[in-house]
Amino acid sequence: MPQLFKSLFKTKSIASPIVTFSSGFENATDIHNLNSYKDSLYLYIGVSMIAKRVSGIPLELYKIKNKKGDVAEVFEHPLLSLLAKPNALQTPREFMELSATHYILAGEVFWLLDRNGASINAMSILRPDYVQVVLSQDRKTVVGYEYTNGTIYRFKPEDIIHISNIDPSNPLRGVGVVQPATSRILTEIEATKYQASFFKNQGRPDFAVFADQDVSEEGAADFRARWKRIFGRNQGGNVAIFGSQVKSVQELNKTPKEMDFIATQKFLRQDILSALHIPEEMVASEGSNRATSKEAYKMYLQEAVIPVLEALVDGMNAKLVPQVDQAVFIHFDDPTPVDRDLLLKETTELKKNGIITANEARSMYNYDAMEGADTLSAVPAQPAQTDPALQDQAKNYIRKRPILALKLQAIEDVVAALQATEPKRQMNSIFPNQKAKDAYAKAVNDNIDRKAEKVKDTLDDFHAGMLKRILATDLDVHSFMDVQTEKKAAKDLFTPIMVKLYKEGGQSALDALFKKASADHFFVDQVLLTAIEGRVNFFTNSIIDTTFEVLKSKIVDGIKEGHSIEKIGQSLRDYFDDMSVKRARTIAQTETNFVLSKATNDAYAQSSVVTGKEWLTVGDDKVRPEHEDNNGAIVSKGEAFPNGEHYPAEASVNCRCVLLPTV
């Protein structure tokens, strides 16, 4: 067993209670089922087809926004990270393929969760034939699981995700496709063995040669050798000429019984594939054409692939997802090919009724957009709504997750209570007076200062490393700095720092909206993440480019003045020391304020409570005139303030203004 699996088992063991165990019969059955996969050709083909297709279908994560079932796709989340790297030994595709294989063959899947406190770091797949369910003394409660592989390991119920294809005779375990098809599979295995023996070991000769008199062993061997030399391989069309001793040559045909036995293989293939719900046309080419193949592929997806993936996803949503986040669920799009004729008809109707534009219709068929084709031909389109199927799915999960239902209800109650205070206004400040606003602004700026100081320390460390690398060269004006390498190093260093600040800032902004009710989750999708990464790329490139030009100028001036390498090097040290005192602090303050201010703005956009935002200055003589014009202005969440900025520091250096929420 790999060392990783051993360590997981050891850290997850539980004290042995007084229990009774599920019967070992299921384990023996699972062993047979798993081994049959390697013995039966058609079982291997069928299961591989399903498992590989299941593992290739992308999984999506959606956040439930309200009790109506409105959802938003999430592109960054601990669950997505877990699915993207389930453990150190398997890729996501290998993990899902093995899970699907276990589910089909044994009828059940066991995932072991590796935890670090409340978070789940990894998932490992356990062989179902090594697992036993541990019951309480009265056999009414599952109190754990045992994994036996030379050594017995015990796990708590919450550390095992057990997904099964229900077995009516034993609700604790699952039943796979192999068990009901056992007789067919065994027959196929035995038939294959018989055929191999029959044809390879020559159960009877293909030809009989009759002679007028006895032929010696030497003569027979010589005859076989000459026959093989003349008629072997691809020379079967040559004319056979025999000596006077040969009386006749007779081919020994297969008997009808033998031919029936061989034909049985076809029926065995049909039975095994039927058990897997795979149309025979997906495996055998005889009698199939394009139309039947297309329909067979559709049936294969709908009857064989989708049910397996549905079982795995349903198990995740029921047993894994709630342990990480109650407000999300996993979903996948139906992989069944779309009927293009039907799609064309629907697209035409949508365009005709003004629901989509011509360019939107063209994009559905991967055609390039046309100029002037972005207007609606009839009534204006309504705002995008949640897909009804996703909405129903979200409502179903709300019903199954009482904690989530209470949270969503609490948020709606808060919104209703806040709106009831001043029903004529839609955007009201949550602060009762200017004093409260000023106190909040001071707290925000104090937090920015603390975080900016850490960013400055990191920037100083980076500059110290840069100086060391430069001084290690001969200070040649053309090669004293590898600009691209420095840019990549800066980007690699600061991107995770600023992304972390962004995530923390967004969540803090949401947390500040609530007192008794739980806060929303701040979700960072790929669009938001790309914006932060782009900002980091911009400011790190600016730092390197500016630094390069200044240092280049100092080296050139030093050479012109005839200064020594040591003196030029000292001038570079002085520049970096001065930059640490002045420029580095401004950069750190500006970038930290930008990231946290943008995080607050994006968090308000996601919030189900916030309806708008208010700009607040610190009120001193350092405030920019254009920001004084913004002071106290309230706009909708997606709008810009009077000076054109959507949030403080969006386009300002060293800005100290603060964004406030309105409801």
Side-chain angles (χ1 to χ4, degrees), residues 230-242:
I230 298 173
F231 304 106
R233 299 193 178 186
N234 299 322
Q235 304 181 52
N238 292 344
V239 178
I241 300 176
F242 302 97

Side-chain angles (χ1 to χ4, degrees), residues 469-528:
R469 290 188 288 274
I470 291 172
L471 294 179
T473 69
D474 57 5
L475 297 186
D476 179 81
V477 71
H478 300 293
S479 60
F480 72 94
M481 179 193 291
D482 186 336
V483 175
Q484 295 306 318
T485 299
E486 294 294 344
K487 286 182 177 180
K488 183 179 185 305
K491 183 178 179 181
D492 292 345
L493 175 62
F494 284 99
T495 296
I497 294 173
M498 305 312 281
V499 168
K500 184 173 184 291
L501 279 178
Y502 176 72
K503 292 179 179 179
E504 291 176 348
Q507 189 59 55
S508 296
L510 292 177
D511 291 341
L513 297 172
F514 298 89
K515 293 182 179 179
K516 294 182 180 180
S518 300
D520 284 338
H521 290 278
F522 181 57
F523 288 98
V524 183
D525 61 22
Q526 192 58 48
V527 174
L528 298 178

Side-chain angles (χ1 to χ4, degrees), residues 59-65 71-81 83 325 327-331 390 521-528 606:
L59 299 181
E60 302 166 349
L61 190 68
Y62 286 89
K63 173 193 175 184
I64 302 173
K65 299 168 62 176
V71 300
E73 187 172 2
V74 179
F75 297 94
E76 184 169 341
H77 192 277
L79 275 168
L80 293 177
S81 300
L83 294 174
D325 188 345
V328 300
F329 64 92
I330 296 171
H331 171 79
L390 278 174
H521 290 278
F522 181 57
F523 288 98
V524 183
D525 61 22
Q526 192 58 48
V527 174
L528 298 178
Q606 292 182 13

